[in-house]
């Protein structure tokens, strides 16, 4: 194929077109969100284990030539990776790249939004679980709400739009704020997605004792929807973004923005799963919740050519399970900061 040419998206064994690659560029993070990481952090990869810029770019180029359309950078915190602007520029130059986005906690966006936009990033999703400064500190353990809000403004000014806000809802932690956050969609440029928390043991580290949010923290999307409708009126279903994704989208009457619901616990969305994940150390994950992983870094460093790398992508697609179920009390062991959400 010529540079920049690409195949039609590959379909996996269950006829799902696979065209979305989430790329974790680091396992490091400047926050310690309670549902994601233990307070002391998680054991970190060594410098040599992490894919270098050119290795990430090579893998992404192969993915695009195979028909991947959406490339999203995540982490850990992607803005905590050294040289992130240069990495974005390198990825944006790949022929055929037309949807390069990032999921970030927003803390460093004030300084990075403009350079990232200049480098070719298209849009950002920002994780934000509360509009209350004290509570923000309680949930993230380290961050300041004002930094995220300033980061959001900077992203808007830089044209990194539409910005979607990802709000993980946890009973007893921020479920009393669902209505206030939903109300934000009445204002321009506020698109919010409420995500059911996944109970991950990895977030506890060595902590022991009561874990109320793990044992009983899930607020089903249906309950979130009912709460919003009771206070703010009916939600009308609207079309989601092109390329699909796990969210179902709605709008309040007269709202400027959309309200999405993502329900990893109470509803299957595996039937429409269109993604693979690349970890910071170069493993391709067929599914967020299975242990299967295909090493790309080893073959890459041993001199694999593009066709061999494509074969490994195809293997990951073949290994995508039909579905995987997390239950409220599954308390799975994987670490979200390692997988990238
Ligand atoms: N650090 C970046 C951020 O927070 O946006 C990117 C990585 S983070 C792992 C990606 C997404 O996963 C975030 O939106 C975060 O809220 C979500 N997440 C982390 N732990 C989660 C959990 N236990 N259940 C549901 N979502 C989770
Ligand atoms: Fe860091 Fe994102 Fe995990 Fe929060 S959710 S600890 S910001 S990786």
């Amino acid at each position: 194929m010529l540079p920049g040419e690409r195949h039609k998206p590959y379909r996996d064994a269950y006829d799902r077109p696979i065209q979305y690659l989430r790329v974790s560029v680091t396992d490091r993070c400047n926050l310690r969100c309670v549902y994601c990481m233990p307070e002391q952090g998680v054991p970190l990869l060594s410098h040599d284990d992490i894919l270098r810029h050119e290795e990430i770019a090579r893998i992404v180029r192969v993915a695009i030539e195979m028909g991947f359309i959406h490339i999203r950078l995540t982490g850990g915190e992607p803005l905590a990776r050294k040289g992130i602007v240069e990495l974005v520029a390198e990825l944006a130059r790949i022929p055929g790249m037309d949807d390069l986005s990032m999921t970030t906690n927003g803390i460093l966006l004030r300084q990075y939004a403009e350079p990232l936009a200049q480098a070719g990033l298209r849009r950002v999703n920002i994780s934000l679980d509360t509009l209350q400064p004290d509570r923000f500190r309680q949930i993230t353990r380290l961050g300041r709400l004002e930094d995220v809000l300033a980061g959001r403004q900077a992203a808007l000014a830089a044209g990194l739009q539409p910005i979607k806000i990802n709000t993980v809802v946890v009973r007893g932690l921020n479920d009393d704020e669902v209505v206030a956050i939903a109300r934000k969609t009445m204002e321009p440029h506020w698109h919010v997605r409420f995500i059911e928390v996944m109970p991950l043991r990895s977030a506890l580290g060595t902590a022991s004792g009561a874990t109320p949010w793990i044992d009983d923290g899930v607020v089903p999307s249906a309950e979130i929807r009912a709460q919003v409708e009771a206070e703010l009126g009916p939600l009308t279903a609207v079309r989601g973004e092109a390329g699909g994704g796990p969210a179902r989208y709605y709008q309040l009457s007269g709202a400027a923005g959309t309200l999405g619901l993502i329900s990893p616990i109470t509803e299957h969305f595996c039937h429409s799963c269109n993604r693979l994940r690349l970890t910071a150390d170069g493993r391709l994950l067929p599914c967020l919740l299975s242990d299967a992983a295909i090493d790309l870094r080893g073959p890459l460093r041993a001199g694999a050519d593009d066709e061999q790398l494509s074969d490994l992508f195809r293997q990951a697609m073949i290994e995508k399970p039909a579905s995987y179920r997390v239950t409220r009390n599954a308390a799975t062991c994987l670490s979200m900061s390692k997988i990238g959400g």
Side-chain angles (χ1 to χ4, degrees):
M1 295 191 94
L2 296 170
E5 261 191 294
R6 62 171 137 205
H7 287 275
K8 280 202 228 143
Y10 278 86
R11 289 184 173 266
D12 73 358
Y14 305 94
D15 204 31
R16 297 170 293 198
I18 309 301
Q19 47 193 180
Y20 177 176
L21 183 65
R22 289 180 75 94
V23 179
S24 173
V25 297
T26 178
D27 60 339
R28 278 150 216 268
C29 189
N30 47 0
L31 298 184
R32 296 281 181 274
C33 302
V34 291
Y35 48 72
C36 179
M37 275 205 206
E39 189 156 15
Q40 69 275 20
V42 289
L44 293 174
L45 295 166
S46 76
H47 182 71
D48 285 346
D49 286 338
I50 304 256
L51 290 181
R52 296 187 288 269
H53 285 195
E54 62 276 17
E55 292 174 329
I56 296 176
R58 169 104 189 275
I59 292 171
V60 168
R61 179 173 59 71
V62 167
I64 285 180
E65 286 171 3
M66 290 183 74
F68 281 72
I69 297 171
H70 308 288
I71 307 293
R72 175 171 293 277
L73 306 183
T74 174
E77 171 49 37
L79 297 182
R81 169 136 187 174
K82 217 167 142 228
I84 185 68
V85 175
E86 291 73 25
L87 175 59
V88 165
E90 195 166 340
L91 296 178
R93 278 196 297 271
I94 294 173
M97 170 71 79
D98 50 30
D99 187 26
L100 180 59
S101 61
M102 180 183 282
T103 294
T104 169
N105 61 34
I107 293 284
L108 297 172
L109 256 187
R110 184 176 7 199
Q111 78 196 67
Y112 278 119
E114 183 58 37
L116 286 171
Q118 296 284 341
L121 191 73
R122 285 288 183 87
R123 55 206 168 83
V124 287
N125 287 358
I126 301 177
S127 304
L128 179 61
D129 305 326
T130 175
L131 299 170
Q132 301 174 16
D134 290 350
R135 183 174 284 179
F136 185 86
R137 172 56 64 113
Q138 182 195 355
I139 294 174
T140 66
R141 294 192 181 105
L142 293 174
R144 292 193 319 168
L145 174 63
E146 62 191 80
D147 291 333
V148 182
L149 296 178
R152 179 183 165 276
Q153 284 303 337
L156 274 178
L160 293 172
Q161 299 180 40
I163 298 175
K164 287 187 225 134
I165 300 294
N166 285 339
T167 302
V168 174
V169 182
V170 185
R171 197 179 299 285
L173 202 60
N174 65 346
D175 55 330
D176 58 346
E177 265 192 272
V178 160
V179 170
I181 295 172
R183 195 178 282 119
K184 281 292 202 184
T185 66
M186 302 303 288
E187 300 175 20
H189 306 299
W190 278 87
H191 302 279
V192 174
R193 306 189 309 171
F194 292 112
I195 304 171
E196 290 172 348
V197 69
M198 291 188 261
L200 305 178
R201 280 258 172 257
S202 54
L204 293 177
T206 52
S208 56
T211 57
W213 67 267
I214 285 225
D215 298 331
D216 202 16
V218 179
V219 183
S221 292
E223 188 180 323
I224 294 174
R225 180 176 180 176
Q227 215 181 322
V228 170
E229 291 196 309
E231 295 281 335
L232 303 175
L235 285 165
T236 308
V238 291
R239 265 173 63 91
E241 73 240 69
R248 284 158 294 127
Y249 287 96
Y250 303 89
Q251 228 163 359
L252 288 165
S253 170
T258 53
L259 186 154
L261 297 174
I262 302 183
S263 324
I265 308 294
T266 62
E267 276 174 50
H268 268 299
F269 45 65
C270 302
H271 59 86
S272 60
C273 182
N274 60 355
R275 57 197 59 192
L276 294 180
R277 294 175 166 82
L278 179 68
T279 61
D281 57 350
R283 288 171 303 128
L284 206 47
L285 307 183
C287 170
L288 172 65
L289 291 163
S290 91
D291 292 333
I294 288 149
D295 177 39
L296 294 189
R297 189 189 64 199
L300 189 70
R301 292 186 180 170
D305 64 18
D306 287 358
E307 200 41 47
Q308 287 165 318
L309 292 177
S310 304
D311 281 344
L312 293 169
F313 266 95
R314 280 187 281 271
Q315 189 187 330
M317 292 181 203
I318 288 167
E319 289 190 21
K320 264 183 89 63
S323 67
Y324 210 98
R325 190 132 183 90
V326 214
T327 57
R328 284 175 199 225
N329 297 312
T332 37
C333 280
L334 45 83
S335 160
M336 201 56 95
S337 63
K338 291 249 190 292
I339 295 170

